[in-house]
Structures are given as structure tokens and as C-alpha cells.
Amino acid sequence: MKRILLAVALVWIGLLSTLTPAEAQGYQIRPGDVLRVEVLEDSTLNRDVAVLPDGRIAFPLVGTLPVAGRTLDQINADLAQALAPNFAVPPSVFVSVAGLRGADAPGAVAAEPTITVYVMGEVNNIGPREVAPGTNILQFLSQTGGLTRFAATKRIQLRRFDPHGGQERVYTINYRALERGGIFRGPVILREGDVILVPERRLFE
């Protein structure tokens, strides 16, 4: 019996030794950290995600989720709950720390700054995307995997909310004209929270 108990203890010690300090000590996630998310039921969702300066992560089918100040167990439960409506049964979600990049972490490395821009409609990959500050509209569209064959390429919208005035401004983008060397008269450089909407083309459009 003593040998069995000793063997079990050694196994637990080995498992604990494989945990990062963040996982072993109930570390609370901070902006700049990187999380690794795995979804057993859909491996296409598996990815590393950076915690943005506002303490959120962007994840497919979920949008953004607040994680700063929370432990891995709490984030795991929150993410599984947020994903649940997209699955027939509750998904099995596993969240771990891929990198500690907070300002106070040992050997910290400054995280590359990003902004979150959202894309909807007739593109091959919809949802929130993290892009570098200074990214322009054409660069962003190239990162979405391209437009679908149903896209209304002359009526793409850039929707930008003004937090100070409390209003949304909508700019129409003629992608085909830009391809031919035209000039877009609206804002070219994207900002945090911008939404790119690609509507479906009408009949004979």
C-alpha cells in the first residue's frame, strides 16, 4: 500500500512540475499575456490569443471576452459558456498560458500593440480580428481571406462609432474602383472598434 501511495504522489509531483508558474499559483491574467485555447469538438478554433490592452480577448463565434483579473479556471468556464450555443452539447474547452507578457512578469517582453476591427457579411472569414495600428482598409480586407462571389463590391461599408458624439458614421467603399486606381475619400486607416460590412449583392448588380 505504501508503494502505491508513493507512486501516486510521484505522479502528482510530476504533473505539478509541468505546470507553468501562472497555472500552478492561480495566476490572474493581465493585458499582454497570451492564452492558448483548445476546443475538443472543433480543432479549427484552436489558437493562441493575446490579451488586449482593455483586458479582453477576441475569439471566433464569441466576439470579445473579458479575461483580465481572472484565473484560467474562470476563463475556461466563461469561454465554454459563451461557445455553448454553437454546439449541440456543451463544448470541452481547455485554456492555458502560452506566454507571460505583462509588464511585471519575469523576463517580460513588450506585447505588440494591436487594435480590434470587426468584419461581417460576404467575406470568407467573419468576426473580430486583431491588426496592427496603422492598418488600412485594403490591407485589412486582404487578411479576411477575400470577398465571396456574392459580395456587393461597390457598396462595402466602413462603420465607425464616435464615442464622444454618440453617433455612428457610415462610409461607402467602392472596392472595384479602388482596384482600378481610384481614391477613397473617407478614412483610410482603421481605428479600434471599426466595423467593415460587406453586403450581399443585389440581382443584376
Side-chain angles (χ1 to χ4, degrees):
M1 179 61 72
K2 290 183 178 179
R3 290 182 178 178
I4 294 176
L5 292 175
L6 179 59
V8 171
L10 289 173
V11 170
W12 275 106
I13 291 172
L15 288 174
L16 288 175
S17 67
T18 64
L19 297 177
T20 67
E23 294 164 324
Q25 299 174 11
Y27 174 77
Q28 293 183 338
I29 298 301
R30 295 173 293 186
D33 290 345
V34 179
L35 301 180
R36 178 162 295 134
V37 181
E38 298 176 86
V39 182
L40 186 61
E41 288 77 9
D42 187 351
S43 61
T44 64
L45 294 174
N46 297 350
R47 65 198 61 215
D48 290 351
V49 292
V51 182
L52 300 173
D54 65 358
R56 295 173 175 266
I57 58 172
F59 199 79
L61 305 180
V62 173
T64 58
L65 184 76
V67 298
R70 302 182 70 76
T71 65
L72 291 174
D73 286 342
Q74 291 172 324
I75 296 169
N76 196 93
D78 291 346
L79 192 54
Q81 182 178 9
L83 285 170
N86 301 285
F87 293 85
V89 295
S92 302
V93 181
F94 304 94
V95 181
S96 59
V97 176
L100 295 176
R101 299 190 181 180
D104 300 325
V109 177
E112 292 294 330
T114 60
I115 61 172
T116 304
V117 179
Y118 302 83
V119 60
M120 305 169 60
E122 297 300 323
V123 294
N124 288 312
N125 291 293
I126 64 172
R129 303 187 72 86
E130 298 171 31
V131 298
T135 299
N136 66 40
I137 292 169
L138 292 179
Q139 291 170 332
F140 178 77
L141 288 175
S142 73
Q143 297 178 38
T144 65
L147 307 175
T148 73
R149 61 191 182 94
F150 301 107
T153 56
K154 297 181 179 179
R155 295 187 292 110
I156 297 174
Q157 298 175 14
L158 166 61
R159 309 181 74 95
R160 176 171 292 175
F161 180 75
D162 179 6
H164 302 293
Q167 295 182 337
E168 182 184 55
R169 297 196 62 179
V170 180
Y171 304 90
T172 300
I173 304 166
N174 187 333
Y175 181 73
R176 291 304 176 200
L178 294 180
E179 280 188 319
R180 295 191 296 267
I183 298 175
F184 177 48
R185 302 298 178 182
V188 175
I189 303 302
L190 296 174
R191 293 182 183 174
E192 173 73 31
D194 278 352
V195 177
I196 303 294
L197 175 61
V198 183
E200 183 178 359
R201 60 184 170 87
R202 306 186 186 102
L203 189 63
F204 304 120
E205 185 176 7

